[in-house]
Amino acid sequence: MIYSQKNISENEFIRTFSSNVPQSELVWHMDEENRLVEVLEDSEWSFQMDNELPRPLKKGLKFEIPKETFHRVIKGPGSLKILIKEY
């Protein structure tokens, strides 16, 4: 499994990526909804949007992912915990 998910509401959930997930499973993809993402815990993981450089995912960072935009996460040591709100 790539991640575990705890639903907060219909459009809001906490997603945790395990340190055991293979980087090969963290592929470029796009979502059907706009998303607002907040990093809940410090990590050494990174986030990358299409045609952009990766940026570190640190606790408190908030960013938007427009629907139908390619993006991916890049694994670091430890786990990654984020809050996602779809709109």
Side-chain angles (χ1 to χ4, degrees), residues 10-13 32-37 63-67 84-87:
E10 185 177 323
N11 65 334
E12 188 174 12
F13 42 93
E32 295 178 7
E33 304 288 337
N34 292 313
R35 290 184 168 182
L36 177 61
V37 178
F63 57 95
E64 292 186 54
I65 305 171
K67 67 180 178 179
I84 300 172
K85 297 179 185 179
E86 295 182 328
Y87 60 97

Side-chain angles (χ1 to χ4, degrees), residues 23-67:
Q23 177 63 44
S24 61
E25 292 194 32
L26 301 171
V27 297
W28 288 98
H29 67 282
M30 62 175 77
D31 302 311
E32 295 178 7
E33 304 288 337
N34 292 313
R35 290 184 168 182
L36 177 61
V37 178
E38 179 180 355
V39 182
L40 298 177
E41 297 177 354
D42 271 330
S43 76
E44 293 184 41
W45 289 53
S46 299
F47 175 81
Q48 186 175 17
M49 297 278 283
D50 194 23
N51 295 317
E52 293 184 13
L53 294 172
R55 56 182 150 170
L57 293 173
K58 298 296 181 188
K59 182 178 180 178
L61 176 68
K62 295 180 183 179
F63 57 95
E64 292 186 54
I65 305 171
K67 67 180 178 179

